[in-house]
Amino acid sequence: YSLQSRGLGDVYKRQTPAWSTSPSIAIWPAVTEPSSLTPREDHPPTMSQPIERLTVQTDAAGLDAATAALNAGLPIVLPTDTVYGLAVIAGDRAALERLFELKDQPEDRSIAVLVSDIDKAEALGHFSEPALAATHRYWPGALTLVVDRKAYISQTVGNDDGTIGIRCPRHPFVRELARRVGPLSTTSANLAGWPTPSEPLQAANALAGPVALLVDGGPGGRRASTVARIDDDGTVTIFRQGEVDLDAPS
C-alpha cells in the first residue's frame, strides 16, 4: 500500500475496480457501527501476549499517524462520540477484510460510514428532504441515516439493495480524520457479539489480533447511535434506538 492519500476518490467507481469480481461488503441492514452491546455473564477472550502498537493522542501528531496508517490499508482503533471504533477507509477492500478478521465477524455484516460533514454525506447517498433536515438538526451527532447509495459510488460501500448507513460524528478528531482521508467504515472495537470496552487499551486488546495504531482519546461512551431511515413523505423507520430520539418534540 502507498501512503499517498486516497480520499473520496477511492470510494468512487473506477473503470476497472481492483475488486470488481469480489462480492460487495454490506453496510446495511445489520449496522455494526460503534455501539454498546448487552454484557454477558462471562468475559470475552483477550490477547495473551502484549501487543506491539503505536499509541497516539487526539492531537496533530495523532492525526498524522492515523492518516498514514489508514492510507497504508491498516485498521486503527479510535475514539468516537459513542464507543471506541475500529476504522478503515471506506472502499478499501483489503483493509475491510482485515477489519472483519479482527472482529471475527462474517463479511456480510454491515458497517456504518463516518463522514466529516453533510456535503460529504450527500456525495455518497440520496437524502430525502426530511432526512436532510434531520442532518441539520442532529449532526454532528449520534444519528446514523440509511439512504440510497449514489450510482457512482462503489458497491463495496453499501448493501446489495443499494443503501448505505451514514453518520457525521460529534468527535472532532474523527471528523478531521475523515476530512483528510475520506469516509471511514467504522465498527465497534470488540469481537462480534461482545461488549465494547470503554477504555482504549482494553478496546484494542479485545480484538482477534493486533492493530498497528491506537488513538487514545480517554474513556469512551457506552451508548450507540440511533439508526433510522426517513423517507420522502416523512415516514421514519427506526432500526436501532440509541442516543437520538427522533420522536421527541422539537
Side-chain angles (χ1 to χ4, degrees), residues 70-160:
L70 288 168
N71 281 326
L74 301 174
I76 68 171
V77 171
L78 78 173
T80 76
D81 51 333
T82 55
V83 299
Y84 270 84
L86 178 65
V88 299
I89 293 177
D92 187 334
R93 174 71 196 207
L96 283 165
E97 290 175 351
R98 292 189 183 94
L99 180 149
F100 283 114
E101 290 173 358
L102 288 169
K103 287 279 294 185
D104 192 21
Q105 178 173 292
E107 292 188 11
D108 61 354
R109 295 297 299 275
S110 305
I111 293 182
V113 174
L114 304 184
V115 295
S116 58
D117 54 47
I118 293 175
D119 288 342
K120 295 300 188 298
E122 288 190 275
L124 294 173
H126 296 283
F127 286 75
S128 67
E129 286 301 322
L132 192 59
T135 68
H136 288 287
R137 179 180 179 188
Y138 296 108
W139 284 6
L143 174 63
T144 298
L145 287 170
V146 179
V147 299
D148 294 330
R149 183 183 62 228
K150 289 195 171 178
Y152 56 80
I153 300 299
S154 170
Q155 291 185 3
T156 61
V157 184
N159 197 7
D160 289 338

Side-chain angles (χ1 to χ4, degrees), residues 3-219:
L3 292 182
Q4 179 182 0
S5 177
R6 292 189 292 266
L8 265 178
D10 211 47
V11 179
Y12 297 162
K13 282 186 176 179
R14 300 171 180 174
Q15 292 183 348
T16 309
W19 45 78
S20 59
T21 59
S22 301
S24 64
I25 294 181
I27 288 184
W28 194 250
V31 169
T32 56
E33 176 243 352
S35 61
S36 57
L37 303 174
T38 303
R40 299 179 178 179
E41 294 181 358
D42 51 356
H43 300 282
T46 57
M47 300 296 294
S48 59
Q49 300 295 329
I51 299 173
E52 293 185 5
R53 71 169 72 84
L54 176 63
T55 299
V56 298
Q57 306 302 312
T58 54
D59 54 16
L63 272 170
D64 289 343
T67 299
L70 288 168
N71 281 326
L74 301 174
I76 68 171
V77 171
L78 78 173
T80 76
D81 51 333
T82 55
V83 299
Y84 270 84
L86 178 65
V88 299
I89 293 177
D92 187 334
R93 174 71 196 207
L96 283 165
E97 290 175 351
R98 292 189 183 94
L99 180 149
F100 283 114
E101 290 173 358
L102 288 169
K103 287 279 294 185
D104 192 21
Q105 178 173 292
E107 292 188 11
D108 61 354
R109 295 297 299 275
S110 305
I111 293 182
V113 174
L114 304 184
V115 295
S116 58
D117 54 47
I118 293 175
D119 288 342
K120 295 300 188 298
E122 288 190 275
L124 294 173
H126 296 283
F127 286 75
S128 67
E129 286 301 322
L132 192 59
T135 68
H136 288 287
R137 179 180 179 188
Y138 296 108
W139 284 6
L143 174 63
T144 298
L145 287 170
V146 179
V147 299
D148 294 330
R149 183 183 62 228
K150 289 195 171 178
Y152 56 80
I153 300 299
S154 170
Q155 291 185 3
T156 61
V157 184
N159 197 7
D160 289 338
D161 67 358
T163 59
I164 178 174
I166 308 175
R167 184 166 81 87
C168 179
R170 192 181 303 116
H171 202 295
F173 181 92
V174 182
R175 291 202 309 276
E176 176 59 22
L177 186 59
R179 187 192 67 80
R180 290 189 178 196
V181 303
L184 299 170
S185 292
T186 309
T187 182
S188 51
N190 62 321
L191 291 179
W194 294 95
T196 304
S198 60
E199 294 297 326
L201 185 60
Q202 294 175 354
N205 286 349
L207 299 168
V211 291
L213 185 74
L214 165 63
V215 181
D216 186 345

Side-chain angles (χ1 to χ4, degrees), residues 13 200 226 232 236-237:
K13 282 186 176 179
T226 296
D232 289 319
V236 177
T237 303

